[in-house]
Amino acid sequence: MSEKLVLVTGACGEIGQALVQGLAQKGGYRIVTSDLMPPPDSIKSLTAEHVQGDLVYKIKTFYDYDFDIIFHLAASLSSKAEVATEEAHRINVEGTMGLLMLAAYRSEKYNKPVKFLFPSSIAAYGMASLEEKIAAGCVKEDEYNAPHTMYGCNKLYCEKLGMYYSRYFGQRHLDDKPPVMLDFRAIRFPGLVSAFTLPSAGTSDYGPEILHAAAQGKPYSCFVREDTKISFMAMPDAIKSLLMITDATREKLSHTVYNIAAFAITAGEFRDRAVKAFPGAQITFEPNSRRQGIVDSWPEDVNDSLARAEWGWKPDYDVDRFFNDYFLPEIRKRYNR
Ligand code: SER
C-alpha cells in the first residue's frame, strides 16, 4: 500500500516531536512538518520535508500537497495567549481556518475526505468560581463551555469551525448530491507531561516543571497553590490517543469532540512525589493570581466515557504507572540521577 501523506503543524512543539516519532515508528506515512523553528534533532531524520515559517502566511504552500491527514498542532498556548491576545487569535483561529479551508477544498475536489486532527484542550471549559469547579468534579464535553481565556475561546471556536467545515459548509449538505466533506476529529487534552521535553507558554506547565526541576536538583517556585487540581496525562498516552482516533472508522464516531483522561492530581501531589523520588528537592508555592485564576477555571477532571465507548480509548498510564514505568526511569537516564 502506498504511504499516506501527512502534515504535522507545530511539529517542533512537545506534542509535535512525540507525534512525528510515533508516526515514524508506526510506519506507512510520508511526514511533512511545519513550524516557526527548524526541526530539532529528535525529528530531523523522520521528516520528508519541513516548511519553516508562520503558518498563516504559509497556507498557500500547502495547496501544492495532496495531504491525506492533517495534524494541526501549531498554537499559542494559554499563558502566552493572555499577554498577546490578538497575536494568539491570529495564530490559533486564522491558522486553523486556513487549513480547514484547504482540507475542505481538497476533500471536495478529489472526492476523498481529508482527515483533520485537532488538539483541543481542557481550556475549552470555564468554571465561574473555585466553588463551582469543586462542585462540578468530572465534566462532560458539552458542560461548562464558557472559557475564561483567549486560548480556550480559540480552541472552542475552532472545534465549532471544524464541525462546520465537515458537515455544513455552504449548506451544501442540503444539495441533492452533497460534496465529500473533510473528516474533522478533535480531542480535548488534559495537561501533558513528557520526560523528554519541557512545555513553555502554557498554564498546566507547573506539573512538568516541578518534576523536571526536582530531577535536575534545581529549586522551583510553583505559580499555583498546592491544592490546585486538574487532569494530567503522560505524553505517550496523548500520542496513542491521536493515533487511535485517526484510525477509528468514521461510522464509530458520532461526535467530533472527545475528552480523554488519565489521572487528576494536585500540585501538592506532584511536589510530594517529586520529593519522594528526589529527596531534598526544593519545591515552594508562590501563586501568581492570573495564572492561578486560569487553572481555577479549568475542571478538576474530565469524563472520557464517550471516547472509551466509541473508539476504545483507555490510557496506559495511571498516576503510579506514569511515575514508576515512564517518567522516573526516563528522567533518571536523562539527568543521570
Ligand atoms: N497545556 C495547555 C496550556 O496550559 C492547555 O491545553 O495552555
Side-chain angles (χ1 to χ4, degrees):
M1 236 178 74
S2 64
E3 289 183 317
K4 287 196 163 42
L5 187 62
V6 176
L7 172 65
V8 179
T9 73
C12 303
E14 279 207 290
I15 306 179
Q17 292 182 51
L19 176 65
V20 169
Q21 290 168 343
L23 289 167
Q25 199 180 6
K26 193 165 167 240
Y29 302 104
R30 181 176 165 81
I31 308 168
V32 176
T33 52
S34 98
D35 203 287
L36 278 174
M37 309 297 289
D41 290 343
S42 60
I43 59 167
K44 212 181 225 158
S45 63
L46 309 176
T47 167
E49 249 179 280
H50 184 75
V51 179
Q52 191 179 342
D54 189 320
L55 177 78
V56 176
Y57 304 119
K58 290 283 178 191
I59 298 284
K60 274 196 188 139
T61 313
F62 297 131
Y63 276 82
D64 294 339
Y65 298 81
D66 188 10
F67 293 119
D68 298 293
I69 309 173
I70 296 174
F71 292 93
H72 175 39
L73 311 178
S76 171
L77 293 187
S78 59
S79 284
K80 187 171 176 196
E82 286 309 291
V83 288
T85 48
E86 285 173 69
E87 173 73 354
H89 187 275
R90 191 184 69 77
I91 296 167
N92 295 347
V93 176
E94 287 178 40
T96 306
M97 170 91 174
L99 279 181
L100 283 170
M101 287 169 67
L102 160 76
Y105 166 81
R106 290 210 84 93
S107 302
E108 181 169 351
K109 182 157 182 216
Y110 296 103
N111 237 358
K112 191 178 76 178
V114 173
K115 278 189 190 168
F116 195 111
L117 284 301
F118 183 68
S120 189
S121 162
I122 47 169
Y125 296 104
M127 332 295 284
S129 63
L130 193 54
E131 292 69 40
E132 185 171 276
K133 167 173 171 149
I134 292 165
C138 191
V139 305
K140 290 191 178 151
E141 285 84 350
D142 56 359
E143 297 174 322
Y144 302 99
N145 289 173
H148 291 200
T149 60
M150 173 53 89
Y151 173 76
C153 291
N154 296 163
K155 286 291 183 189
L156 188 61
Y157 175 56
C158 288
E159 289 176 2
K160 305 288 181 205
L161 276 182
M163 194 186 298
Y164 169 74
Y165 278 106
S166 58
R167 290 195 192 161
Y168 310 117
F169 182 26
Q171 303 308 308
R172 307 224 277 289
H173 62 296
L174 300 172
D175 293 355
D176 288 342
K177 282 191 190 151
V180 170
M181 302 212 176
L182 73 96
D183 183 349
F184 179 85
R185 306 169 177 200
I187 288 180
R188 284 197 189 146
F189 283 112
L192 300 178
V193 191
S194 167
F196 301 97
T197 51
L198 265 165
S200 64
T203 320
S204 61
D205 295 8
Y206 62 89
E209 283 174 0
I210 288 175
L211 301 183
H212 281 259
Q216 293 173 82
K218 290 185 184 162
Y220 179 74
S221 158
C222 178
F223 57 80
V224 295
R225 289 184 319 269
E226 85 173 270
D227 66 340
T228 304
K229 186 175 180 185
I230 57 168
S231 180
F232 281 93
M233 175 174 288
M235 187 61 81
D237 269 337
I239 302 310
K240 170 176 143 165
S241 74
L242 277 171
L243 298 178
M244 278 183 82
I245 198 173
T246 303
D247 287 345
T249 51
R250 183 68 255 165
E251 302 72 57
K252 282 196 179 159
L253 308 177
S254 66
H255 295 73
T256 47
V257 178
Y258 296 87
N259 283 338
I260 57 165
F263 50 90
I265 64 171
T266 63
E269 287 172 85
F270 268 119
R271 188 261 330 266
D272 294 347
R273 286 187 182 254
V275 170
K276 195 168 159 223
F278 303 102
Q282 292 171 51
I283 312 294
T284 50
F285 292 88
E286 285 173 60
N288 167 296
S289 58
R290 292 186 182 179
R291 296 182 97 184
Q292 180 72 59
I294 292 175
V295 192
D296 284 346
S297 76
W298 293 350
E300 278 194 350
D301 202 356
V302 294
N303 180 321
D304 64 357
S305 51
L306 263 184
R308 287 175 182 258
E310 294 194 4
W311 44 279
W313 162 248
K314 192 173 173 293
D316 288 334
Y317 298 96
D318 62 12
V319 68
D320 288 327
R321 286 207 62 204
F322 163 75
F323 278 98
N324 300 332
D325 299 352
Y326 169 66
F327 191 81
L328 292 176
E330 294 296 349
I331 209 81
R332 285 191 202 285
K333 268 190 257 165
R334 176 168 171 187
Y335 298 125
N336 240 342
R337 299 269 311 226

Short mmCIF file of all heavy atoms in Angstrom, two decimals, residues 76-80 119-123 151 155 189-192 199-205 230 294 298, ligand 1:
data_model
loop_
_atom_site.label_atom_id
_atom_site.label_comp_id
_atom_site.label_asym_id
_atom_site.label_seq_id
_atom_site.Cartn_x
_atom_site.Cartn_y
_atom_site.Cartn_z
N SER A 76 -0.70 29.11 19.95
CA SER A 76 -0.14 29.91 21.04
C SER A 76 -0.85 29.46 22.30
O SER A 76 -2.08 29.55 22.40
CB SER A 76 -0.40 31.40 20.76
OG SER A 76 -0.05 32.15 21.89
N LEU A 77 -0.12 28.94 23.28
CA LEU A 77 -0.74 28.32 24.46
C LEU A 77 -1.28 29.36 25.45
O LEU A 77 -1.11 30.56 25.30
CB LEU A 77 0.24 27.36 25.13
CG LEU A 77 0.59 26.12 24.31
CD1 LEU A 77 1.42 25.15 25.12
CD2 LEU A 77 -0.65 25.41 23.79
N SER A 78 -1.93 28.83 26.50
CA SER A 78 -2.83 29.67 27.29
C SER A 78 -2.19 30.84 28.04
O SER A 78 -2.78 31.92 28.10
CB SER A 78 -3.61 28.80 28.28
OG SER A 78 -2.72 28.11 29.13
N SER A 79 -1.00 30.65 28.61
CA SER A 79 -0.41 31.78 29.37
C SER A 79 0.08 32.86 28.41
O SER A 79 -0.16 34.05 28.61
CB SER A 79 0.75 31.30 30.25
OG SER A 79 0.25 30.64 31.40
N LYS A 80 0.75 32.44 27.34
CA LYS A 80 1.25 33.41 26.36
C LYS A 80 0.09 34.14 25.68
O LYS A 80 0.14 35.35 25.43
CB LYS A 80 2.10 32.67 25.32
CG LYS A 80 2.80 33.59 24.36
CD LYS A 80 3.79 32.84 23.52
CE LYS A 80 4.42 33.76 22.48
NZ LYS A 80 5.07 32.99 21.43
N PRO A 119 -5.99 19.14 18.19
CA PRO A 119 -5.87 19.03 19.63
C PRO A 119 -6.57 20.19 20.31
O PRO A 119 -6.10 21.33 20.27
CB PRO A 119 -4.35 19.09 19.85
CG PRO A 119 -3.85 19.95 18.74
CD PRO A 119 -4.81 19.79 17.58
N SER A 120 -7.72 19.90 20.92
CA SER A 120 -8.35 20.93 21.74
C SER A 120 -7.86 20.72 23.17
O SER A 120 -6.85 20.04 23.38
CB SER A 120 -9.87 20.85 21.61
OG SER A 120 -10.46 21.98 22.23
N SER A 121 -8.55 21.29 24.14
CA SER A 121 -7.93 21.38 25.47
C SER A 121 -8.97 21.51 26.57
O SER A 121 -10.10 21.96 26.32
CB SER A 121 -7.05 22.63 25.46
OG SER A 121 -6.73 23.06 26.75
N ILE A 122 -8.56 21.17 27.79
CA ILE A 122 -9.39 21.44 28.96
C ILE A 122 -9.64 22.94 29.10
O ILE A 122 -10.54 23.35 29.82
CB ILE A 122 -8.77 20.91 30.28
CG1 ILE A 122 -7.28 21.29 30.38
CG2 ILE A 122 -8.95 19.41 30.39
CD1 ILE A 122 -6.67 21.02 31.75
N ALA A 123 -8.85 23.76 28.38
CA ALA A 123 -9.07 25.21 28.42
C ALA A 123 -10.39 25.61 27.75
O ALA A 123 -10.85 26.74 27.89
CB ALA A 123 -7.91 25.94 27.74
N TYR A 151 -7.01 31.62 24.66
CA TYR A 151 -6.67 30.29 24.14
C TYR A 151 -7.89 29.36 24.18
O TYR A 151 -8.20 28.66 23.22
CB TYR A 151 -5.51 29.73 24.97
CG TYR A 151 -5.12 28.30 24.71
CD1 TYR A 151 -4.39 27.96 23.58
CD2 TYR A 151 -5.44 27.30 25.62
CE1 TYR A 151 -4.00 26.64 23.35
CE2 TYR A 151 -5.04 25.98 25.41
CZ TYR A 151 -4.33 25.66 24.28
OH TYR A 151 -3.93 24.36 24.07
N LYS A 155 -9.84 27.67 21.05
CA LYS A 155 -9.98 26.22 20.89
C LYS A 155 -11.46 25.84 20.71
O LYS A 155 -11.80 25.04 19.84
CB LYS A 155 -9.39 25.47 22.09
CG LYS A 155 -7.86 25.46 22.12
CD LYS A 155 -7.29 24.60 21.00
CE LYS A 155 -5.77 24.51 21.04
NZ LYS A 155 -5.19 23.87 19.86
N PHE A 189 -7.35 17.63 25.22
CA PHE A 189 -6.27 17.11 26.04
C PHE A 189 -6.25 17.72 27.43
O PHE A 189 -6.51 18.92 27.58
CB PHE A 189 -4.92 17.40 25.38
CG PHE A 189 -4.60 16.50 24.23
CD1 PHE A 189 -4.56 16.99 22.93
CD2 PHE A 189 -4.35 15.15 24.44
CE1 PHE A 189 -4.27 16.15 21.87
CE2 PHE A 189 -4.07 14.30 23.38
CZ PHE A 189 -4.03 14.80 22.10
N PRO A 190 -5.87 16.91 28.43
CA PRO A 190 -5.56 17.47 29.75
C PRO A 190 -4.14 18.04 29.71
O PRO A 190 -3.53 18.12 28.64
CB PRO A 190 -5.65 16.23 30.65
CG PRO A 190 -5.32 15.08 29.78
CD PRO A 190 -5.75 15.46 28.37
N GLY A 191 -3.57 18.43 30.86
CA GLY A 191 -2.17 18.84 30.89
C GLY A 191 -1.31 17.64 30.53
O GLY A 191 -1.59 16.53 30.97
N LEU A 192 -0.27 17.87 29.72
CA LEU A 192 0.56 16.74 29.28
C LEU A 192 1.94 16.82 29.91
O LEU A 192 2.47 17.92 30.11
CB LEU A 192 0.68 16.75 27.75
CG LEU A 192 -0.65 16.63 27.00
CD1 LEU A 192 -0.43 16.69 25.49
CD2 LEU A 192 -1.41 15.36 27.39
N PRO A 199 7.40 21.96 28.53
CA PRO A 199 6.47 22.87 27.86
C PRO A 199 6.91 24.32 28.06
O PRO A 199 7.75 24.61 28.92
CB PRO A 199 5.16 22.61 28.59
CG PRO A 199 5.57 22.19 29.96
CD PRO A 199 6.88 21.48 29.81
N SER A 200 6.33 25.22 27.27
CA SER A 200 6.52 26.64 27.55
C SER A 200 5.25 27.35 27.11
O SER A 200 4.58 26.89 26.19
CB SER A 200 7.72 27.20 26.80
OG SER A 200 7.50 27.11 25.42
N ALA A 201 4.93 28.43 27.80
CA ALA A 201 3.81 29.29 27.42
C ALA A 201 2.43 28.76 27.80
O ALA A 201 1.42 29.40 27.55
CB ALA A 201 3.84 29.61 25.93
N GLY A 202 2.35 27.58 28.40
CA GLY A 202 1.07 27.07 28.85
C GLY A 202 0.86 27.33 30.33
O GLY A 202 1.73 27.90 31.00
N THR A 203 -0.29 26.91 30.85
CA THR A 203 -0.57 27.15 32.27
C THR A 203 -0.56 25.85 33.07
O THR A 203 -0.41 25.88 34.29
CB THR A 203 -1.91 27.90 32.44
OG1 THR A 203 -2.01 28.88 31.41
CG2 THR A 203 -1.99 28.61 33.79
N SER A 204 -0.70 24.72 32.39
CA SER A 204 -0.53 23.44 33.10
C SER A 204 0.96 23.12 33.24
O SER A 204 1.32 22.06 33.78
CB SER A 204 -1.26 22.31 32.37
OG SER A 204 -0.74 22.15 31.06
N ASP A 205 1.82 24.02 32.80
CA ASP A 205 3.28 23.79 32.80
C ASP A 205 3.85 23.51 34.19
O ASP A 205 4.93 22.92 34.31
CB ASP A 205 4.02 25.02 32.21
CG ASP A 205 3.70 25.26 30.75
OD1 ASP A 205 2.79 24.59 30.22
OD2 ASP A 205 4.33 26.13 30.14
N ILE A 230 -6.00 19.56 38.50
CA ILE A 230 -6.54 19.35 37.15
C ILE A 230 -6.09 17.97 36.65
O ILE A 230 -5.31 17.29 37.31
CB ILE A 230 -6.12 20.44 36.11
CG1 ILE A 230 -4.60 20.55 35.99
CG2 ILE A 230 -6.77 21.78 36.37
CD1 ILE A 230 -4.13 21.37 34.79
N ILE A 294 -6.57 31.14 35.90
CA ILE A 294 -6.78 30.31 34.70
C ILE A 294 -7.00 28.85 35.10
O ILE A 294 -7.96 28.20 34.67
CB ILE A 294 -5.58 30.44 33.72
CG1 ILE A 294 -5.51 31.85 33.13
CG2 ILE A 294 -5.67 29.38 32.62
CD1 ILE A 294 -4.28 32.12 32.25
N TRP A 298 -10.41 25.83 35.09
CA TRP A 298 -10.41 24.54 34.38
C TRP A 298 -10.92 23.45 35.31
O TRP A 298 -10.67 23.49 36.51
CB TRP A 298 -8.98 24.18 33.92
CG TRP A 298 -8.44 25.10 32.85
CD1 TRP A 298 -9.13 26.04 32.15
CD2 TRP A 298 -7.09 25.17 32.39
NE1 TRP A 298 -8.30 26.68 31.26
CE2 TRP A 298 -7.04 26.16 31.39
CE3 TRP A 298 -5.92 24.48 32.69
CZ2 TRP A 298 -5.86 26.49 30.71
CZ3 TRP A 298 -4.75 24.80 32.00
CH2 TRP A 298 -4.73 25.80 31.03
N1 SER B 1 -1.45 22.71 28.37
C1 SER B 1 -2.18 23.79 27.78
C2 SER B 1 -1.89 25.08 28.43
O1 SER B 1 -1.56 25.05 29.59
C3 SER B 1 -3.65 23.54 27.90
O2 SER B 1 -4.10 22.94 26.76
O3 SER B 1 -2.01 26.10 27.82
#
